[in-house]
Amino acid sequence: MLNVVRAAALLATALLINGCASGSASSPSVTALDVTTPAPVASAVSATPAPSVAPSPAASPNSFTSNTYGYSLTVPGGWKVIQATATWDGKGAPFHDVPEADQFIGPKVASAWFFGAPTTKDLAGKVTESIAANAAGHSNTCPAVPDVNDPIEIGGQPGVLIGYDCGILINTGITVHKGVAYLFGFRDPAVHAATDPTDRAVFLELLKSVKFPD
């Protein structure tokens, strides 16, 4: 009787082992078929080149309108502007950096400025007056007679460019519009002459952009 029990137990164990073995052989491998290893995030990012940083654009020309005198013009890129804080009385030949002047300061040493005042004179009379005022106010550095006296246009109006060698370049653009005299100055301490092609081009471009108040 004992031998029969042992034989039955051995048979059951064999059947259980065979069943487990056959079951595992027919089941798909979860690791092999269902689990996919994704590509590392760092690799995907590094595969796309980072956009290059564009250089800062150069300063562009800017429109300027005078709070004191009402005209407007285009200031060259990179130039600084100082609004006048007082009104010119039309007398004398003031310096470039007084409160009555709108100032335009270049990135190097050149600069420009402006004065305006009512006048009863025409263009020729105002030019003569300006030359006399410069001789009276700046005779210690500037010649009495300008080295340059050329007809030009300022904002589409007839004008005159007068130039001096005052140890540095000093140019003045003058026009008269609707009873107001407009005087634009330009100085370049780096140039020891009355004329300079580069300075003249910059100044004439500035004067060309002028728009007068109606």
Side-chain angles (χ1 to χ4, degrees):
M1 183 65 181
L2 181 58
N3 291 334
V4 173
V5 173
R6 286 180 179 176
L10 289 174
L11 178 61
T13 300
L15 291 173
L16 179 61
I17 291 173
N18 288 335
C20 292
S22 61
S24 61
S26 62
S27 298
S29 172
V30 174
T31 301
L33 298 180
D34 294 341
V35 178
T36 303
T37 303
V41 175
S43 299
V45 173
S46 61
T48 303
S52 58
V53 179
S56 299
S60 301
N62 294 301
S63 178
F64 167 85
T65 299
S66 174
N67 295 335
T68 303
Y69 302 107
Y71 72 96
S72 63
L73 53 74
T74 300
V75 183
W79 286 52
K80 298 179 182 179
V81 173
I82 300 175
Q83 289 269 6
T85 56
T87 303
W88 183 43
D89 60 7
K91 299 178 181 179
F95 286 105
H96 64 283
D97 55 357
V98 296
E100 292 85 0
D102 289 324
Q103 301 175 50
F104 311 97
I105 304 169
K108 295 182 180 179
V109 294
S111 63
W113 66 97
F114 167 82
F115 300 102
T119 184
T120 57
K121 293 181 171 60
D122 60 9
L123 177 58
K126 192 61 188 179
V127 170
T128 299
E129 181 182 80
S130 179
I131 292 172
N134 190 78
H138 306 292
S139 59
N140 58 327
T141 55
C142 298
V145 179
D147 300 292
V148 177
N149 192 326
D150 296 339
I152 60 169
E153 284 192 357
I154 300 176
Q157 300 290 319
V160 172
L161 175 67
I162 56 178
Y164 298 91
D165 179 1
C166 302
I168 66 174
L169 180 147
I170 299 289
N171 287 176
T172 303
I174 304 171
T175 191
V176 176
H177 176 71
K178 293 186 176 181
V180 178
Y182 294 87
L183 281 73
F184 297 88
F186 189 97
R187 68 194 294 271
D188 189 346
V191 175
H192 306 294
T195 60
D196 176 80
T198 300
D199 284 341
R200 184 183 178 100
V202 172
F203 192 33
L204 291 182
E205 189 67 22
L206 190 70
L207 298 179
K208 181 181 177 181
S209 72
V210 171
K211 294 181 180 180
F212 299 105
D214 294 329

